[in-house]
Each structure stands twice: as C-alpha cells, then as structure tokens.
Amino acid sequence: MTKETLLMQYQSECLSALKSVANIQKPFEKTFMDTMKLFMAIPDRINFLQLGRYGCFSEQTYRNLFEHETFDWFAFNGSIISKHLTGKRKAIAIDPSYIPKSGKKTPWIGYFWSGCAGEYKRGLEIMGIGVIDIDNHECMTLGSIQTPDCKTLDNMDKNLVDWYSCYLISRKDKLQSISRTVVADAFFSKETFITPMCENDFHVISRFRNDVVLYYPTLEKKTGKRGHPKWFDGRIDFAKLDLTRCKEYEVNKGKLYGLRVYAKALKRYVSLAVWYPMDGRTDKWQLYFSTDDSMDGREVLDYYRTRFQLEFCFRDGKQHAGITNCQSTDFRKLDFHFNASLVAINLVKAICKKPEITYSIPLASQLYTMLIYLNDLFAYLKLT
C-alpha cells in the first residue's frame, strides 16, 4: 500500500459519503473535497488564510463554503459509520467538550467546564454525538452542536440539561435508526434529563454518584388485603451489599455485581452494575445504571466504558485536525469547522480499518502533509 494510494483512499471515502447527502451541487462537492483533504494535511493552524494558502481555491471561496448551514453532517457521517462500525451492539454516546476561544463578538461565548483544566474557563463548548461500537470498542462521531451560553439559555427559559435533552429529542428519528440507547457521563444522571429521554423511547446508560439513594425491590408477595403492598425492602448500603440479591460477574481488576434497584432521584427502576476495585476497599465503588431495567449488569459496564472512545475523537480532533483553530465569529462557520474537523478524523479511521493499511492518525496526518508538499513541488517544476 503506497502513500499515494492512502490519499486516494481518503478522498474515495469522502466522495462515497458525500453521495449519501441530498442536494449537493458540483461546485460545493469540489470545494468540500479539497477542504477535507486540507484538514488532515495542513501542518499548522487550520484557518481560512491557511486553507487559501495550501488549497486549490481562494480564501474567500473557503469562507463561502463554511457558511453552508444546511449540510447534513448526520447523513454524511452515518454513511461512514454504517460501512465501518460492524459490531452488533451499538449506542449513541454524547459528551460536551470545551473549545478555547476569545473575542467579544464570538456567538455563545461564556464559561464552560474544562475537564483538562479541572475548572470553568471562558470559551465555547460543543456537544459531540458519536456512535460507539461495543463489540469492537470503537467510536465515530455523528455530528456536533455548539452549546448556548447562560444568557442565551435564560432567554430560551431552559437550563443546560434541558437544552441537551431537547436537542437529542429533536434528532431522535436519525438517532433511533442507529440505536435507542444513549450513553452519557455522570453529569447527565439527572431526572430532568432521564425522564424526557425515556418518554421519547430512549434508554439512558450513565453513572450515579456514590452517595445516591437506591432501594432493593421488595420480595414480599401480595397478601390480598387492602392497601398497596410494600414498595421496597430497604436502602442499599454499598459497603455491605446483600450478595444474595445480586448476580456476580467475572471482570478484570475488580468485582462486578448486577441487580435491579429503585432510584429515588430518577423515580424509576433501573439496572445497576456495582464495581468494586481489586484491592478490596469497599469505599471506592462505582455505580453504573441503565434505564432498561432488564439489561445485564456486564452489558451496562461495557456500554459505559466504551463511551470513553468519544473522548479520543475530541483528542484527535484537537491534536491533528485543528478543531480549536477557527478564527471566525460567524455561528455558521464555527459549526462547519467543528464538524469538518471531526469528519476528517472519521475518514482517517475509516481507511485505517482496511486490512492492508496499518497507519495511525498522527502518521496519516504527516503523510498527507508530505504529499501536499510533493504535489506542489511537482506542479512548480512542470511550470518551470
């Protein structure tokens, strides 16, 4: 497999996915294909000046392309995902990511949580939506959306959790055609997020805090007397878990127990997976749950842990595809840039899955940069 073939595979995957998007004109197709090539080839910051310098079109042409707000990123990425994520068990993973940005005119700029810094920082936030393949422990992004700032949310009369759930519900037709299971981190384990999602035929897998109030379901049978039978048998003490009510699973580096419990905060029964570390400490348990109370405890753990693959998509986008480099203050251009960066990572992952290719994303980025330089050099030599 030569380096030139690698670049051709990248462009071929991009063109194939582009055909799945409706109403694409030829001029848009040419500019888009060139842009996606540059997102992996430009060795420095990826902005309009750099696109005009390295690309086949003028800087203004790329600016006009990024104003295209009707492009269906979900359909484009869905075509790549359906071809290359081959596992039987799939789920929708969501996760917010902080994007450093400044400027008084930047839309929806505010203070958002940065996991790397461990504090709130001024900038932007995007919510990434990915598809995780549980069987192969892989993830590809389906799309992203910029998170509104506090002032905008107040004008909408919503809080951040409400906005997240409303957006997912608005795209439920596309999401549920892939999977009805949504996997999110502990921030989303709130009743205000869980209830509307379940009412719209989603199941949510997330993680509880260690001090959550959970109850064993009652084992008493109906007596036939007046009044409702007993709801619960008592609050669960995870330092002294009743193992007779649990199913134990073999896992690496710890012990895993699964059981059906009632969550007071969520006002519903859930399937709970309780993980204890191998060192035997009973004060370091982790609680994973699924609103599908018939789900196996091991599956709950597998789904949640695979969610972290979405974090790697953000990491690769920031390190190799310039997701933080956009210098525009136009909402449409910012949205296009964020999604194009994540698409570039999807395309490299797609070609790296081919059996004859062993390249990684960092190496592929370096190879594309070298090929761009060589093509420019050969073009110059022909002219001279």
Side-chain angles (χ1 to χ4, degrees):
M1 178 62 67
T2 64
K3 298 179 178 64
E4 292 79 5
T5 307
L6 182 66
L7 182 58
M8 292 173 60
Q9 289 281 359
Y10 182 90
Q11 294 175 318
S12 176
E13 288 288 345
C14 183
L15 183 60
S16 176
L18 197 59
K19 291 180 179 179
S20 64
V21 183
N23 302 321
I24 296 298
Q25 304 297 325
K26 202 66 176 179
F28 177 89
E29 178 185 307
K30 291 181 179 179
T31 314
F32 183 85
M33 291 283 293
D34 189 62
T35 301
M36 296 315 305
K37 177 186 68 176
L38 295 173
F39 260 86
M40 287 306 300
I42 293 178
D44 202 352
R45 297 179 65 87
I46 301 175
N47 51 38
F48 296 122
L49 180 63
Q50 292 283 78
L51 291 172
R53 179 178 296 165
Y54 286 90
C56 302
F57 303 96
S58 67
E59 178 183 341
Q60 187 59 47
T61 301
Y62 294 108
R63 289 182 180 273
N64 294 339
L65 173 72
F66 278 48
E67 293 177 356
H68 200 287
E69 58 184 342
T70 59
F71 185 74
D72 192 348
W73 296 103
F74 276 41
F76 183 92
N77 288 312
S79 175
I80 302 173
I81 289 168
S82 63
K83 187 188 301 183
H84 295 286
L85 292 188
T86 57
K88 295 182 178 180
R89 296 182 299 168
K90 295 187 180 69
I92 306 297
I94 61 171
D95 192 55
S97 181
Y98 168 76
I99 303 293
K101 194 80 166 71
S102 59
K104 296 181 180 179
K105 301 296 183 180
T106 303
W108 291 0
I109 194 168
Y111 285 88
F112 298 96
W113 178 258
S114 170
C116 293
E119 61 181 0
Y120 284 92
K121 296 183 68 175
R122 182 172 172 80
L124 303 178
E125 182 186 86
I126 59 173
M127 182 178 71
I129 303 174
V131 178
I132 53 176
D133 183 341
I134 313 302
D135 298 321
N136 299 311
H137 290 271
E138 295 176 329
C139 176
M140 288 186 177
T141 51
L142 197 57
S144 69
I145 184 71
Q146 188 178 334
T147 304
D149 62 328
C150 293
K151 184 177 180 181
T152 305
L153 289 171
D154 290 340
N155 294 335
M156 295 179 180
D157 196 25
K158 293 180 180 179
N159 59 33
L160 194 56
V161 175
D162 294 336
W163 185 85
Y164 287 139
S165 61
C166 287
Y167 178 76
L168 293 173
I169 291 169
S170 70
R171 304 303 300 268
K172 74 174 186 177
D173 290 340
K174 178 61 179 179
L175 297 177
Q176 290 181 354
S177 66
I178 301 172
S179 175
R180 294 182 179 271
T181 302
V182 175
V183 189
D185 62 18
F187 174 78
F188 295 89
S189 61
K190 299 176 173 63
E191 190 271 336
T192 53
F193 179 82
I194 300 293
T195 298
M197 293 294 288
C198 292
E199 289 175 349
N200 284 273
D201 299 325
F202 285 103
H203 283 302
V204 180
I205 296 176
S206 186
R207 186 167 69 88
F208 284 129
R209 287 173 40 169
N210 282 13
D211 59 352
V212 67
V213 178
L214 302 174
Y215 295 96
Y216 292 112
T218 183
L219 299 179
E220 290 186 2
K221 298 181 180 180
K222 294 183 179 180
T223 61
K225 298 180 180 179
R226 295 181 61 186
H228 197 283
K230 186 178 179 181
W231 286 97
F232 320 111
D233 278 351
R235 180 174 175 176
I236 302 176
D237 181 2
F238 291 101
K240 301 176 182 179
L241 188 65
D242 185 355
L243 301 183
T244 62
R245 294 173 175 261
C246 306
K247 182 178 180 180
E248 185 174 356
Y249 303 92
E250 292 184 4
V251 293
N252 295 328
K253 301 180 180 179
K255 294 183 178 180
L256 180 67
Y257 301 95
L259 67 161
R260 182 173 178 265
V261 301
Y262 181 82
K264 181 180 179 181
L266 303 183
K267 304 175 183 177
R268 66 177 62 245
Y269 284 95
V270 298
S271 176
L272 184 71
V274 187
W275 181 83
Y276 293 98
M278 187 175 287
D279 57 13
R281 295 183 61 182
T282 57
D283 59 339
K284 292 293 184 180
W285 59 81
Q286 293 180 1
L287 308 175
Y288 309 97
F289 73 91
S290 169
T291 56
D292 180 2
D293 59 355
S294 64
M295 180 174 279
D296 183 81
R298 184 190 293 276
E299 276 201 306
V300 174
L301 182 65
D302 288 344
Y303 272 76
Y304 187 84
R305 288 186 171 177
T306 310
R307 179 202 67 84
F308 201 79
Q309 294 294 322
L310 181 58
E311 302 278 3
F312 296 144
C313 295
F314 289 132
R315 178 203 63 186
D316 294 334
K318 292 176 180 180
Q319 291 182 356
H320 306 293
I323 196 172
T324 62
N325 296 161
C326 186
Q327 296 178 336
S328 177
T329 56
D330 188 320
F331 178 82
R332 298 167 299 175
K333 294 175 182 177
L334 286 168
D335 181 72
F336 195 99
H337 185 101
F338 297 147
N339 280 284
S341 176
L342 295 173
V343 162
I345 300 300
N346 281 354
L347 292 171
V348 175
K349 284 185 176 182
I351 63 171
C352 288
K353 285 177 67 67
K354 296 183 181 297
E356 67 275 15
I357 298 179
T358 58
Y359 297 102
S360 64
I361 290 178
L363 182 57
S365 179
Q366 295 174 13
L367 290 174
Y368 293 146
T369 303
M370 292 166 53
L371 289 172
I372 291 295
Y373 283 145
L374 287 174
N375 290 338
D376 289 345
L377 177 62
F378 291 151
Y380 175 76
L381 293 175
K382 286 182 180 178
L383 292 175
T384 56

